[in-house]
Amino acid sequence: MTQNDAFISIQNVNKYFGKFHAINDVSIDIKHGEFFSLLGSSGCGKTTLLRMLAGFENPTSGEIYIDGQPMSGVPPHHRPVNMVFQSYAIFPHLNVRDNIAYGLRKQKLPRAQRDALVDEMLDLIKLPDYGDHKANQLSGGQRQRIALARSLILRPKVLLLDEPLGALDKQLREQMQLELRALQKTVGITFVFVTHDQEEALTLSDRMAVMSNGRDLQVDTPTRLYESPINREVASFIGTMNFFDGRVKALTNGGAEIEAVGLGNLCTSNIPPNLKPGQSVCVAIRPEKLSLSRDAQSGFNQVKGRLDNAAYLGERSHYYVSIEGVSKPVAVSVQNRQRANGNGENQCPVWLSWEDNAFVVLGNG
Amino acid sequence: MSRHSYIKRPNRPLQFYAALFLVVLYLPVLFLPLFSFNTSIYVKFPLTGFTFQWYVELMDREPVWAALMNSLRVGITTSIISTGFGVFAAKAITRYRLPGKGPLIGFIMLPLVVPGIIFGVALLVLISRLGIQLSLVTVTVGHVIVCLPFAIATMIPRFEGFDPSVEEASADLGENAWWTFWRVTFPMVFPGILASLLLTFTVSFDEFIMAFFLSGTDPTLPMYIWSQLRFPKEFPSILALASIILVVSFALVFLGQWLNRDTQATDLNSE
Ligand SMILES: Nc1ncnc2c1ncn2[C@@H]1O[C@H](COP(=O)(O)OP(=O)(O)OP(=O)(O)O)[C@@H](O)[C@H]1O
Ligand SMILES: [Mg+2]
């Protein structure tokens, strides 16, 4: 087995629920101290994978190693991981202190030392005066922090978090994201974080895996996932993406020249390996990498189109532009520097331009 | 009016129906205490005068005390055994994916609908076949069967009322199944356990048919009452005894429901 420097190694794991193939040959390596996210749409198997790490489900085949140890047959209470549940699972019959101290029973610490540890945790999660509160008298955000403290007090090697911020409002969620990230840096524990919120995954993670229908599509850093998705599924899952059909005209030094339908020729170095001249491919570009203007620019890659309509999104707007030969209108993102004033004039002719390397060539067509 | 949501609006016909229902159900029962304070030994109107005489007489009867002790022993044992079984049965039913769960629950709940006399006769046949002496022990066995559905029906909502991930959290924090049960599951279902103990005790304490078939020489309280019905002279004292049993049973069941109330209360709060 290649152990390399992976702290958690998920190797060819499959999971069936009856006939349903919930996890399909997933292999992921997670490094020590990493903030790793699992991103995927609802029902794609994120929770199932996390529960296999925690020991609540057994893989049908494949093996999970944590810190070099194979985990099959190791029950949850003997694994060096702790989990923060989607529902928090705070013990409702205990107060905050007793919730946090729950896992310390086996260590048989003297009372004073135990209390000191709990106080330390209460400070860490910024709830120092809440020790005697009943757990069910707390807000969602407070419960989430207690669930965290309850796990962190045991100094686990890995902390598993199942959509811990899913139930919170946007403001609290952003605040908790910052706190989580800071916390992870302070305590230096490996975090495996499940979310279906792509923005959250992009902001928080060192690396992340995009999952779909029980498979891991791509495991990479947020930047690379966003800038160089390996296929159309990943590209359309994260952010907005415009797709065009094309054909490889020629391979250049470290890049390729593509003839794209409706766009003409374009050059990019964002190409998958094993590209061959003449191969038909799919090229893609993010809305913010296109710029929009009334008049033709000189010296740029550009194409003429017609403004279809616009969507106002607050700090920016998306304009949809039809280009001859391209079936779907192309989305262009424009920062709203000035106060927006309505939808702009529809149907007026516009020019779209882009810089070299703004396009990505996606694998397998 | 606007304080009430649509579903909680007062509904006159329904209130009238409920009142009528309660009167029909309990009016006959109320005659027992009424006549137990009457001076005449005959149960008929008009009432002749008020007295505590029958209650006082009751206190002096040795067999009443003996029967009471028998009933208490059977009742306490029955409630502990059936609640104990009930806790684990309810946990199994609500927590594990059992094949054929539906029929299993139906089977467990059967004693609620099968006439007691059938169960009584069946058990009597079985027990005499096995050559076991009829005694308070055999009565207890019969009562456990009668009480088990009550215990399970009381416990199931308690288990359904809490998130199973709380138990998983305990395992995740390092506790094995045994400690998880005592540190999480047990405290969380405890009000249900108290309610089940009180309810099954009451059912056993009031039960007659099983006791009729399965008791040996030691009568339970209902058996004693039945045996005294032949003597008209004793009747007012029996009314007094029945009144006491009635009041105590009501009190126990209400206490149980009250202790177990917060399953519903928390459901409402969480909305
Ligand atoms: N115990 C189970 N028995 C049968 N099927 C299951 C079980 N647990 C999960 N599944 C199925 O496996 C699939 C993946 O479920 P999972 O809970 O891992 O999804 P998820 O990615 O966490 O989704 P969400 O974002 O909605 O939480 C789902 O289709 C689900 O129906
Ligand atoms: Mg999930």
Side-chain angles (χ1 to χ4, degrees), chain A residues 51 54 56 76-77 81-83 85 87 89-93 99 101-103 105-106 150-151 154, chain B residues 97 162-163 165-177 179-180 183-185 187-188 266:
Chain A
R51 288 172 61 80
F56 297 124
H77 59 278
V81 304
N82 283 128
M83 181 145 164
F85 290 80
S87 55
I90 299 290
F91 303 120
H93 59 295
N99 260 284
Y102 188 87
R105 182 188 64 84
K106 280 203 200 144
R150 184 175 73 175
S151 299
L154 302 177
Chain B
R97 264 168 273 157
F162 81 86
D163 182 3
S165 66
V166 175
E167 289 169 310
E168 288 182 340
S170 168
D172 189 64
L173 294 168
E175 295 293 20
N176 58 24
W179 278 101
T180 294
R183 294 188 72 189
V184 176
T185 317
M188 286 182 69
T266 44

Side-chain angles (χ1 to χ4, degrees), chain A residues 17 20 22 41-48 57 86 163 196, chain B residues 97:
Chain A
F17 289 112
F20 179 69
S41 51
S42 186
C44 73
K46 307 177 297 289
T47 298
T48 307
E57 308 278 359
Q86 202 160 359
E163 299 197 35
H196 61 246
Chain B
R97 264 168 273 157

Side-chain angles (χ1 to χ4, degrees), chain A residues 280-294:
Chain A
S280 59
V281 289
C282 176
V283 290
I285 189 164
R286 297 278 178 199
E288 68 275 10
K289 297 213 160 56
L290 285 166
S291 37
L292 192 68
S293 60
R294 286 287 172 81

Side-chain angles (χ1 to χ4, degrees), chain A residues 48 73 88-90 122 142 159 188 190-191 201 203 214 262 267 313 321 358:
Chain A
T48 307
Y88 308 143
I90 299 290
L122 285 169
Q142 290 166 336
L159 193 63
T190 309
F191 273 34
T203 351
C267 292
L313 302 175
V321 177

